[in-house]
Amino acid sequence: MNSIRVFAPATVANVACGFDSLGFAIHQPGDIVEATLSKTPGVRITGITGDEKRLPREAEKNTAGVAVMALMEHLDEARGVDIMLHKRMPLGSGLGSSAASSVAALYATNQLLGGPLQKHEMLPFAMKAEASACGSPHADNVAPGLLGGFVLIRSYDPLDVISIDYPDNLCCTILHPHIEVRTEDSRRILRKHIKLSDAVIQWSNLAGLIAGLGKADFELISRSLNDIIFEPVRSLLIPGFDKIKGAAIASGALGCSISGSGPSVFALSTSMDKAREVGLAMKQAFSEMQLGSDIYVSAINSIGPRILTPDEDPVAPEF
Ligand code: HSE
């Protein structure tokens, strides 16, 4: 095999109370990478579609390129890789756009090289790419993007990444407002010190959420899905956030918060039907803002990246 096409999914990082520690993968949207093995050494971005020419074409500045360069160096690989990137998800959306590109490129390249590494072994290269994109090597997008499902980053040093059990019928609604928030900016506005009493509430909620997911205790998931530290600050960047969240909860979502660093907003529900109903309510609430939006509805993606058949095109908003 000399060439391969891989899809890697969007991810919801933080999941309310797990800042930089918890994330999960969804089925759509996501990015597509076509990678081709070459006798010419080095990593090249041969083209990018869907980015309105905004992403760097130099491999050492592009997350897909940075990740694959680190992988090739680690493997001491003499051959090269040509990467064609199809951005099928919005930039600056809070849905792990940079992570989807690096994960797709890593998975594709590893496959072309005969699969020398396990997925979790590629994580440090994807984290390096995150750091190049926004200055922080957080793993709560790249880890679920690579491994699928819900993933807890219990420790960054040493890296300790845990796949968390979750109920089969758990579904996610995403409202992506048509505005852009750069992760770097959304991190810069955060308070660097937090009150001990707030920290206690936050880590208790995270523990409750992990327990609730493992036991399929939806009441517990619902009670725990709160972010009292970051959401109050970051939600100021999202027009109509309180209305969107209120509409999601009123229509029966288990909970609702900011996806990653925003501006997308996610809600969890107990079925696809409920998640669609929640999506309609969120869209309706956001329409008052006179801004466009997309809604994605998805079960949890337990797989992460996958090889596409030649004519498969997996990405379209629900409504
Ligand atoms: N945990 C990161 C943040 C995710 O909230 O800044 C960025 O997508």
Side-chain angles (χ1 to χ4, degrees):
M1 182 173 50
N2 196 41
S3 210
I4 194 170
R5 216 161 70 100
V6 166
F7 169 84
T11 42
V12 173
N14 301 335
V15 201
C17 43
F19 180 77
D20 278 1
S21 303
L22 185 65
F24 64 86
I26 53 180
H27 286 289
Q28 55 167 338
D31 279 350
I32 297 171
V33 158
E34 286 169 33
T36 306
L37 211 49
S38 162
K39 285 191 188 118
T40 312
V43 177
R44 290 157 297 273
I45 307 289
T46 53
I48 305 179
T49 65
D51 73 327
E52 293 165 349
K53 301 211 171 12
R54 293 176 51 200
L55 292 176
R57 267 57 183 169
E58 301 94 326
E60 62 281 2
K61 292 188 189 155
N62 180 293
T63 58
V66 169
V68 173
M69 283 168 74
L71 170 73
M72 300 293 268
E73 193 181 322
H74 172 82
L75 294 172
D76 208 12
E77 176 58 58
R79 287 168 292 178
V81 184
D82 294 331
I83 294 168
M84 178 77 198
L85 173 61
H86 300 285
K87 283 305 298 178
R88 293 299 186 85
M89 51 184 300
L91 307 179
S93 59
L95 294 172
S97 175
S98 55
S101 300
S102 63
V103 165
L106 278 172
Y107 188 81
T109 304
N110 191 56
Q111 289 288 317
L112 288 176
L113 296 173
L117 296 187
Q118 301 291 308
K119 287 203 274 188
H120 69 272
E121 293 175 309
M122 291 187 267
L123 252 185
F125 314 129
M127 289 168 66
K128 189 170 178 191
E130 283 295 84
S132 79
C134 74
S136 150
H138 57 270
D140 50 342
N141 291 114
V142 287
L146 254 179
L147 305 174
F150 272 80
V151 180
L152 174 73
I153 298 94
R154 191 208 59 82
S155 160
Y156 277 84
D157 186 17
L159 191 59
D160 189 6
V161 167
I162 320 284
S163 288
I164 301 293
D165 286 344
Y166 59 89
D168 289 342
N169 54 334
L170 196 64
C171 291
C172 176
T173 311
I174 302 276
L175 179 135
H176 166 241
H178 291 176
I179 54 170
E180 223 174 274
V181 173
R182 292 174 68 228
T183 298
E184 207 173 341
D185 298 335
S186 181
R187 291 181 82 83
R188 200 177 300 123
I189 60 171
L190 298 176
R191 283 176 284 155
K192 299 294 171 291
H193 299 279
I194 54 178
K195 264 179 30 198
L196 180 60
S197 54
D198 285 349
V200 171
I201 294 171
Q202 193 87 348
W203 63 53
S204 301
N205 274 326
L206 179 57
L209 177 57
I210 302 287
L213 288 167
K215 297 198 300 183
D217 181 339
F218 291 108
E219 297 274 313
L220 178 55
I221 292 171
S222 183
R223 292 201 299 282
S224 308
L225 211 51
N226 294 307
D227 168 11
I228 64 153
I229 297 176
F230 305 101
E231 185 183 293
V233 181
R234 285 179 158 177
S235 60
L236 301 175
L237 302 176
I238 306 171
F241 175 79
D242 290 341
K243 285 195 170 153
I244 302 165
K245 179 170 175 168
I249 304 288
S251 62
L254 296 169
C256 174
S257 187
I258 300 169
S259 175
S261 54
S264 291
V265 178
F266 81 97
L268 291 179
S269 298
T270 52
S271 70
M272 284 295 276
D273 284 348
K274 179 51 81 179
R276 282 194 194 98
E277 195 183 323
V278 167
L280 283 171
M282 291 166 82
K283 181 118 185 159
Q284 172 72 35
F286 188 70
S287 67
E288 289 177 29
M289 303 303 129
Q290 315 280 321
L291 281 168
S293 67
D294 297 312
I295 296 283
Y296 295 95
V297 178
S298 172
I300 309 302
N301 175 342
S302 63
I303 295 167
R306 65 189 175 86
I307 298 169
L308 294 176
T309 54
D311 48 2
E312 197 180 348
D313 190 0
V315 189
E318 184 85 5
F319 47 86

